[in-house]
């Protein structure tokens, strides 16, 4: 029987999930109140880490989301480190707090909205950063290489993996520009044969680790991986779909997302590449300017637009947050069309990355 589905959360990622789920034959309708739902799909990490999946599961509502125990994979980097070490999953080595080899990476332990990690290049940068973040923190070795995001769905017994994606976390092309929630993403990432086989090995290890630890939730696990020293190393776990990687993956799917979640279907994809470009507002990530009227061009309906930090008033749209819009398209070279579209958007303080491409 088709389900009433609630998608918990209110960013572009959740808009994309609502859009795709609403088109599924397995969905009767989208509801906005969790209590009215047969199925709740959780978007952001905060409600997951607060234990809302456990809460609604106990009330008898089916949930797609990691339970409180395993949400520590994201909410505690030390929990994640122990999980990886215990299960033979490769990750950066821990260094002592006083280590003076640079660069090195400082990581705060709790949820910090992307602001708890910094690569520091000298002791002065280290001191400044460690003074600002809430204790506790730890130091790990710096790894160099290309990063990918692999999102997986754990169905309670096994992992169903989506194709590798890549996000652009920095505000600009400058390596030292601030980390953001994500300025764009694309999928698939083309891997060579060795990278593919090492990725399969890693994903099997992750699946075995979850099964061996008795994980019983149905939810998403995001592995942030770096190709370093001829293998994949885990930089981070998230317990949700990445934003904006989710928008790129969902638009790329050629089969029904709910069939993957509820009927163990394996993801199938369209041809070419799927990309997502973030339109942010000047001042993001620290202090974005709000209140600009937004007018979208109406001459290219191949671009899908998801609203994130947007307020609607009297039929008009206004910017109302840091990341304002997600633009999505599937094509052989989707970024050039997305950038053309972005140029034509009217929004006084819009910013977006013009340099990002598929690589
Ligand atoms: P995280 O939130 O742990 O993924 O860290 C955010 C970003 O910091 C990552 O996407 C990397 O670009 C960088 N980073 C984190 N850990 C390391 C590391 N051990 N070596 C190099 N870069 C890292
Ligand atoms: N794009 C990375 C994240 O959602 O954390």
């Amino acid at each position: 029987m088709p389900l009433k589905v609630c998608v918990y959360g209110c960013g572009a990622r959740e808009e994309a999930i609502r859009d795709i789920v609403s088109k599924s034959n397995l969905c009767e309708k989208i509801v906005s109140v969790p209590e009215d739902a047969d199925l709740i799909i959780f978007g952001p990490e905060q409600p997951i880490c607060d234990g809302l999946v456990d809460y609604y599961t106990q009330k008898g509502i089916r949930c797609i989301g990691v339970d409180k125990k395993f949400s520590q994979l994201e909410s505690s980097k030390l929990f994640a480190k122990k999980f990886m070490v215990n299960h033979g999953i490769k990750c950066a080595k821990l260094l002592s707090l006083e280590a003076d080899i640079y660069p090195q990476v400082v990581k705060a332990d709790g949820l910090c909205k992307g602001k708890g990690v910094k690569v520091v290049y000298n002791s002065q940068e280290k001191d400044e950063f460690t003074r600002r973040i809430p204790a506790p923190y730890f130091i790990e070795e710096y790894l160099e290489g290309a990063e990918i995001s692999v999102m997986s769905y754990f169905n309670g017994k096994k992992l169903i993996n989506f194709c590798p994606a890549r996000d652009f976390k920095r505000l600009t092309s400058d390596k030292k520009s601030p980390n953001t929630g994500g300025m764009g993403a694309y999928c698939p990432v083309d891997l060579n044969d060795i990278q593919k086989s090492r990725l399969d090995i890693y994903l099997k290890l992750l699946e075995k680790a979850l099964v061996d630890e008795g994980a019983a939730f149905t939810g998403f696990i995001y592995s942030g991986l770096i190709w370093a020293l001829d293998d994949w190393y885990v930089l981070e776990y998230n317990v949700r779909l990445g934003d904006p990687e989710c928008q790129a993956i969902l638009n790329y799917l050629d089969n029904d997302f709910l069939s993957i979640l509820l009927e163990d279907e394996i993801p199938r994809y369209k041809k070419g590449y799927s990309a997502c470009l973030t339109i942010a507002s000047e001042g993001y990530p620290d202090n974005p300017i709000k209140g600009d009227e937004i007018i979208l061009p109406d001459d290219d309906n191949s671009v899908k637009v998801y609203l994130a930090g947007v307020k609607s008033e009297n039929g008009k749209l206004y910017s109302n947050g840091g990341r304002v819009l997600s633009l999505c398209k599937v094509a052989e070279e989707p970024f050039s069309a997305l950038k053309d579209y972005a140029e034509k958007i009217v929004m006084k303080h819009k910013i977006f990355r013009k340099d990002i491409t598929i690589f």
Side-chain angles (χ1 to χ4, degrees):
M1 217 182 54
L3 304 174
K4 295 189 194 72
V5 184
C6 173
V7 179
Y8 201 107
C10 60
R13 168 184 49 207
E14 291 75 21
E15 278 300 301
I17 299 174
R18 264 182 217 110
D19 175 47
I20 299 281
V21 166
S22 68
K23 293 176 182 147
S24 166
N25 290 333
L26 298 173
C27 172
E28 179 192 324
K29 63 173 176 176
I30 300 284
V31 295
S32 49
V33 178
E35 265 78 6
D36 295 342
D38 306 308
L39 176 73
I40 310 172
I41 303 177
F42 283 84
E45 66 279 12
Q46 193 68 57
I48 294 176
C49 297
D50 289 344
L52 285 198
V53 172
D54 306 48
Y55 173 79
Y56 284 111
T57 304
Q58 275 158 22
K59 287 184 144 215
I61 305 177
R62 188 164 180 182
C63 291
I64 306 284
V66 174
D67 62 14
K68 176 118 174 106
K69 176 182 167 194
F70 285 94
S71 72
Q72 293 175 88
L73 286 171
E74 177 161 358
S75 66
S76 166
K77 289 189 184 286
L78 284 170
F79 177 94
K81 214 35 153 204
K82 276 188 209 143
F83 175 87
M84 291 184 264
V85 171
N86 289 346
H87 295 284
I89 292 173
K90 289 189 175 171
C91 54
K93 278 196 205 80
L94 277 179
L95 302 178
S96 82
L97 291 182
E98 296 76 34
D100 62 355
I101 321 152
Y102 294 97
Q104 58 179 228
V105 187
V106 183
K107 293 194 170 182
D109 189 41
L111 282 185
C112 295
K113 299 208 159 119
K115 292 187 177 153
V117 175
K118 191 171 169 72
V119 179
V120 293
Y121 292 85
N122 53 54
S123 60
Q124 193 191 341
E125 278 183 18
K126 178 178 180 173
D127 291 345
E128 272 167 22
F129 187 67
T130 53
R131 251 184 275 125
R132 267 198 288 129
I133 53 173
Y137 63 89
F138 62 89
I139 311 287
E140 68 178 30
E141 71 173 328
Y142 173 78
L143 297 171
E144 187 133 32
E147 291 178 44
I148 58 171
S149 314
V150 178
M151 296 183 280
S152 307
Y153 172 61
F154 186 66
N155 69 3
K157 296 185 201 78
K158 62 174 184 152
L159 280 186
I160 297 177
N161 301 302
F162 294 95
C163 66
R166 172 165 282 138
D167 74 339
F168 296 84
K169 287 200 178 71
R170 302 267 169 218
L171 185 64
T172 69
S173 57
D174 180 356
K175 262 175 84 172
K176 290 196 158 189
S177 76
N179 243 335
T180 71
M183 296 300 287
Y186 71 88
C187 69
V189 177
D190 295 319
L191 303 178
N192 65 35
D193 288 346
I194 300 171
Q195 291 173 322
K196 276 186 208 156
S197 79
R198 299 306 305 178
L199 183 59
D200 287 346
I201 292 170
Y202 160 68
L203 289 167
K204 281 284 162 220
L205 264 183
L206 173 60
E207 180 178 81
K208 185 171 182 318
L210 290 169
V211 171
D212 287 354
E213 294 225 2
F217 62 84
T218 52
F220 301 109
I221 302 270
Y222 166 119
S223 305
L225 303 174
I226 189 166
W227 182 253
L229 317 166
D230 291 329
D231 210 344
W232 295 111
Y233 284 69
V234 177
L235 292 183
E236 66 164 337
Y237 282 121
N238 293 322
V239 292
R240 53 181 169 78
L241 293 171
D243 183 347
E245 293 97 320
C246 166
Q247 292 89 303
I249 292 274
L250 292 191
N251 274 286
Y252 197 41
L253 280 180
D254 204 24
N255 58 334
D256 182 354
F257 184 48
L258 276 189
S259 303
I260 299 170
L261 304 187
L262 303 176
E263 298 178 340
D264 295 348
E265 265 196 31
I266 300 299
R268 295 193 302 276
Y269 303 103
K270 298 170 183 159
K271 292 203 167 62
Y273 294 91
S274 179
C276 172
L277 183 66
T278 302
I279 304 292
S281 187
E282 231 175 279
Y284 177 66
D286 293 330
N287 208 0
I289 298 173
K290 297 180 186 171
D292 289 352
E293 187 179 349
I294 304 166
I295 303 172
L296 300 173
D298 55 11
D299 60 345
D300 185 355
N301 38 26
S302 74
V303 173
K304 188 100 212 169
V305 181
Y306 295 116
L307 309 182
V310 173
K311 189 170 64 177
S312 173
E313 246 173 41
N314 304 324
K316 291 185 173 175
L317 301 177
Y318 296 91
S319 63
N320 194 36
R323 285 193 292 174
V324 180
L325 305 168
S326 263
L327 311 182
C328 297
K329 185 179 170 84
V330 179
E332 278 310 318
E333 209 297 88
F335 275 120
S336 55
L338 291 180
K339 289 174 204 166
D340 287 348
Y341 188 95
E343 291 289 1
K344 287 189 256 170
I345 294 173
V346 177
M347 176 182 142
K348 190 164 175 217
H349 298 95
K350 79 178 170 202
I351 50 170
F352 61 94
R353 274 188 61 175
K354 301 188 169 100
D355 61 295
I356 57 182
T357 55
I358 286 158
F359 67 94

